[in-house]
Amino acid sequence: MDIDAARAIADTVLCAGPVLRPYRAAGHRDPGRWQFGMLMPADLAAADESLSAVAQTECLVEGGGPVRLRVLLRFLQVQRRSVYRWLPDLGRFKPVGSLDVDGVALVSCDEPVEHEQLVEVDDATLPAAGTRQTVRVSGGFARTELHDTRGRLVGQVVRHRRPLCAMLNVSAQPVPAPRPALRLRVWVENRTRAGADGDEVALTTALVATHLILSIEGGGFVSMVDPPGWAAEAVENCANVGLWPVLAGPPGRHDTLLATPRILRDHPADLLDHAADELLQLRNLAG
């Protein structure tokens, strides 16, 4: 199984952008930067039909014997980083967009925090009702004082992230086909509530760049991009909402699936080489 390889591909196509481009406080409420795989808080999505709190992937599994499935849910959380300047005359801190400490500029911005949740499902619990698991992320608050080379207090950095709650549901049903097959459904919902703060905390209570990595023993995933003839109709009847599944292992392997909000081709490992070339070009441009 190639979970690590699929993880690297997902990081390349979904997570590298936010990590490489720090988000200044002047625009941190613009959701455009976090545009892929955003599952918004349930109460905001219920009030605005343009938003979604749910994503779902369906795919086919071929195999007539017992199977063991691993589902890895991955997403980013937006953490607020605020920089403060120390005002010694007033004896207090003042929030600022940026602060220079011995020639190093520290900026107020949004930061991505990575989260993963693994669910293992055996053949006995896979059919029909399947299994559900609640995913909880605790909130966090951290304060770091900033001192210059002479030891003087010049400011502080405060990082704050909100608690999140999501639900992951895995189920499967037999598919009428010439070969033994199951339609596998993985459904994830952001059940966090933004509450009265609404739009102000929308980004910090969203699941960002949400995606899934599936691996299987005792069976194989059917290509959703180029299915064999016997599975074409069943593939067409699969419902994918906000996620698109592709085979993620090397060509010829069918034991790992990657479902992302970006449409990829099967076996997209060469994206890693392209991303490395782009990063090298950016580094050269930056001098």
Side-chain angles (χ1 to χ4, degrees), residues 23-29 108:
Y23 209 16
R24 302 279 176 120
H28 68 227
R29 293 180 180 86
S108 296

Side-chain angles (χ1 to χ4, degrees), residues 57-123:
T57 192
E58 286 189 344
C59 61
L60 292 189
V61 172
E62 181 183 4
V67 299
R68 185 172 182 84
L69 181 70
R70 301 176 72 198
V71 178
L72 183 65
L73 168 65
R74 305 181 74 226
F75 58 91
L76 298 177
Q77 178 183 20
V78 177
Q79 173 178 266
R80 292 270 156 88
R81 183 179 82 176
S82 302
V83 177
Y84 294 79
R85 183 190 305 277
W86 174 246
L87 303 177
D89 295 340
L90 300 178
R92 62 178 178 86
F93 291 99
K94 174 186 177 182
V96 293
S98 65
L99 178 65
D100 186 281
V101 181
D102 295 324
V104 177
L106 301 175
V107 299
S108 296
C109 64
D110 283 345
E111 300 174 323
V113 179
E114 299 180 19
H115 297 289
E116 292 188 353
Q117 180 70 45
L118 177 65
V119 176
E120 298 190 11
V121 187
D122 60 28
D123 195 65

Side-chain angles (χ1 to χ4, degrees), residues 259-271:
T260 79
R262 302 189 69 173
I263 296 177
L264 305 174
R265 60 181 178 275
D266 283 337
H267 315 295
D270 57 342
L271 290 173

Side-chain angles (χ1 to χ4, degrees), residues 208-261:
V208 179
T210 307
H211 58 285
L212 300 164
I213 300 174
L214 285 64
S215 67
I216 194 167
E217 297 176 10
F221 295 109
V222 174
S223 171
M224 304 294 288
V225 178
D226 186 20
W230 67 267
E233 182 177 353
V235 166
E236 186 175 347
N237 290 330
C238 288
N240 287 281
V241 181
L243 294 170
W244 180 251
V246 298
L247 299 175
R253 293 276 294 274
H254 293 260
D255 56 2
T256 307
L257 198 79
L258 172 63
T260 79

Side-chain angles (χ1 to χ4, degrees), residues 12-29:
T12 299
V13 300
L14 293 175
C15 302
V19 171
L20 292 174
R21 295 190 295 274
Y23 209 16
R24 302 279 176 120
H28 68 227
R29 293 180 180 86

